[in-house]
Amino acid sequence: DIEKRFSNNIINGLPGVFYMFVKQADEYRLVRWNKNFENVLGYSPEEIYCKSPFDFIAPEDHEYGKKKIEDIFIKGHVESELRIKTKEGKVIPFLFASRAYQQGNRTYFLGQGINLSKQIEFQNNVKTLFMAFPDILIVSDYQGNILYANDSLKQQTGYTQEYLQKNKGKVALHPPEDREMLKNKITELLSSNAVHTDIIENRFIDKKGQTHWYSGVIVKTTFSGQPALLTISRNITRSKYSEQALVESENRMSTVFDSAPVIMMLINEKREILQINKKGIQGLNLTKKDYRLLPFGEAYKCINAFENPAGCGAGVRCGDCLVRRTIQDTFTNGTEHVKVEATLNSKDTKYYILLSSALLKNDVTKEVLLTVDDVTEQRLMQEELKQSVQKAEESDRLKSAFLQNMSHEIRTPLNGILGFSGLLDSEELSPEERSYYIDVINQSSNQLLSIVDDILSISRLETGQIEVLSEQVNVNAMMQELFAVYNTKASERNIVISHGKELDDKQSIVFSDSEKLRQVLDNLLSNALKFTHEGHVKFGYHCKGNTLQFYIEDTGIGIKESDHSRIFERFQQVDFDSTRVYGGTGLGLTIAKGNTELLGGKIWLDSLPGKGSTFYFTLPYKPVYPELTPALADDGSTKDSEQPAILIAEDEEINYLFIAESLKEIDYKLLHAFNGLEAVELCKQNKSICLVLMDIKMPKLDGYSAFEEIKLIRPELPVIAQTAYAMVSDREKALKAGFKDYLSKPIKKAELLNVISKYLEIG
């Protein structure tokens, strides 16, 4: 009968869990199952037999399960997602494909399930393999009456079991000569002790009258307790008329697993691929020529498989390879592994896989069937989700800290305004006290107004409500104004501030938005002074091709490299404790970044803790007077200019201003380098430099070292030493080093012009 139709070897060889239960009256009882069913549930065969399947289904799924059983009667077969409960109480989600068979007054339900907790992709493949065998199966009695036929009969011939039973004797499935041959084979089988016939080739005539060749066997069996014959027929029409037996064999194998949504492959004990499905060929970018006997690791381009000439398995780290150990365990011990989580480091990427293995063997060879489910995308999505959650949590934390700091920043000036406003009511105040209170109120009001301006700027930047103007901006004039403002503030803190301008005043007039450019410079300069306790602050710009590159350099507390990218983001501050110590809203850099990008530039920094910081930002160079624009190469380096230039390498702004003022009447362009490295770089880029005034004591690279590098690239360029070292020995040292001449500080204008006139025509 149907309970015995599937041998233990067949059902135990099926992937996943297999079960069969029968409906008796209004109850359902389990009658057959495979070993996987016992392993998953954790029950012994005695504990399973004749139990209701609902004894192993989570209670909350009972109603759904019963509804699905009812659907089987209507639809013939169903798929259902149910949670099963193991003996240990663990609940596991499964995808079941079930089908009902009516035998007498009994209804049998056959099903196969796969574990959804690790591999939901298998559901369509399992359903396809279980619900429809590719071969025609016909069960008949000894008189030739059809008792049962699978769906393949209808698919391949157009006839259903019911139609043939109803039209008994009216339909000829086989040509007359084949009917006679089959009758003789059956007579021979029934009269012998054999269980089945040899392979028989015969023809089927489908409903459209077309003839197809089939190969099969006839097997003695029982059906509903009565002797019966099982005819298994496989369509060999194509192979019958083709001599390409190997090609046909591959095609037949493809029908078994090529439609699987996961990679499936057959390997030998050397872990070499014997066969692989289409998913594997496409996923691993292989061809039919190069996958044959290709080691598993090399197919995945595992980096360990290529570090030793011996190939896959011979690498230093191969002994720890989980994939290798899993395959070896299956070959050695016959262990069947299901969904082993492993990683493979490919030359191109990192694979996250779920590996399943099953041993296939005969008297001669042993092979392992591998199922490889690539879950890399899912793992990456999990990582992205995890990072998103962490980022959201960090954002919430930063927002809270930001609001706390903002509350503090707003309340501080408000306290000054409200407090001293109240004190003004006193009639006993002296004029001096009243004036002092008013000054405090004004300062607090300006502080509060600055905070409100920052908040409004951020809001407008975020909502895109800022309009960018194109107006004439004199960059040099703006630099001079900012220097005047911040020089006073720097002097109060004993900090030296200086600035540099590469273009002359008319060349520096550009089309841009004056307010936004000033706000960027203002925020960066304010930060530089705020976080610098001693040393200097320098700012200026260079013209590089069609770009003005601004810099703001300080010798302040510095910023660690890991924080460089995030300090420009909203609500991102390197250290809120620093904000509390130094004050401010912490929005300055965010506003600077927003305005820079609106102006068509970008902003970045170079900084180390304790070493100070240099902030850079760019601005498109759109000169109002393009005819005066210096000729610049596309890569930002200067070409030979029509106007010769003198390079003044001087880190002290006052000294530079004196030299520049002294030389303003000569027909030479003046360039300013703040340190030795910058002086060398300008000499490399600007061929129009015809003389260098080199300070000896400079940061980053001293005058002697800078001179040595300049001699290597411009040996003919005259370099004059100018230094506060005024001893005779200092002069001799400079001239011996190769300097063309020597000027000692303090430098007199006449002496300066006299020395320069030795090497240049200054009129």
Side-chain angles (χ1 to χ4, degrees), residues 667-734:
D667 191 22
Y668 286 86
K669 179 181 177 180
L670 300 182
L671 302 178
H672 186 191
F674 289 94
N675 55 65
L677 286 177
E678 194 173 347
V680 173
E681 191 62 29
L682 282 172
C683 287
K684 284 182 182 178
Q685 296 178 356
N686 200 323
K687 301 301 182 182
S688 66
I689 295 175
C690 54
L691 185 137
V692 179
L693 293 172
M694 178 71 73
D695 186 20
I696 297 300
K697 185 181 179 182
M698 286 192 299
K700 294 188 178 181
L701 194 68
D702 63 72
Y704 282 109
S705 299
F707 173 62
E708 289 297 326
E709 293 197 24
I710 291 173
K711 279 204 304 183
L712 294 175
I713 57 175
R714 299 279 302 277
E716 80 292 347
L717 183 63
V719 182
I720 299 171
Q722 47 106 9
T723 176
Y725 298 125
M727 303 295 291
V728 174
S729 58
D730 295 321
R731 175 184 178 86
E732 292 176 351
K733 180 181 178 182

Side-chain angles (χ1 to χ4, degrees), residues 535-553:
H536 68 265
V537 172
K538 298 178 181 179
F539 68 102
Y541 69 89
H542 299 296
C543 185
K544 297 189 173 184
N546 295 322
T547 301
L548 293 180
Q549 180 174 305
F550 293 83
Y551 61 88
I552 296 86
E553 176 188 311

Side-chain angles (χ1 to χ4, degrees), residues 90-114:
K90 184 179 178 181
V91 176
I92 305 175
F94 263 76
L95 173 67
F96 293 102
S98 304
R99 186 169 193 157
Y101 293 90
Q102 189 70 34
Q103 181 177 323
N105 60 353
R106 280 190 169 192
T107 301
Y108 287 88
F109 299 88
L110 281 76
Q112 189 171 7
I114 60 172

Side-chain angles (χ1 to χ4, degrees), residues 12-16 36 326 329-330 333-338 356-359:
N12 284 330
L14 291 173
N36 286 342
T326 300
D329 184 42
T330 302
N333 304 315
T335 308
E336 182 176 312
H337 292 276
V338 179
S356 298
S357 62
L359 183 65

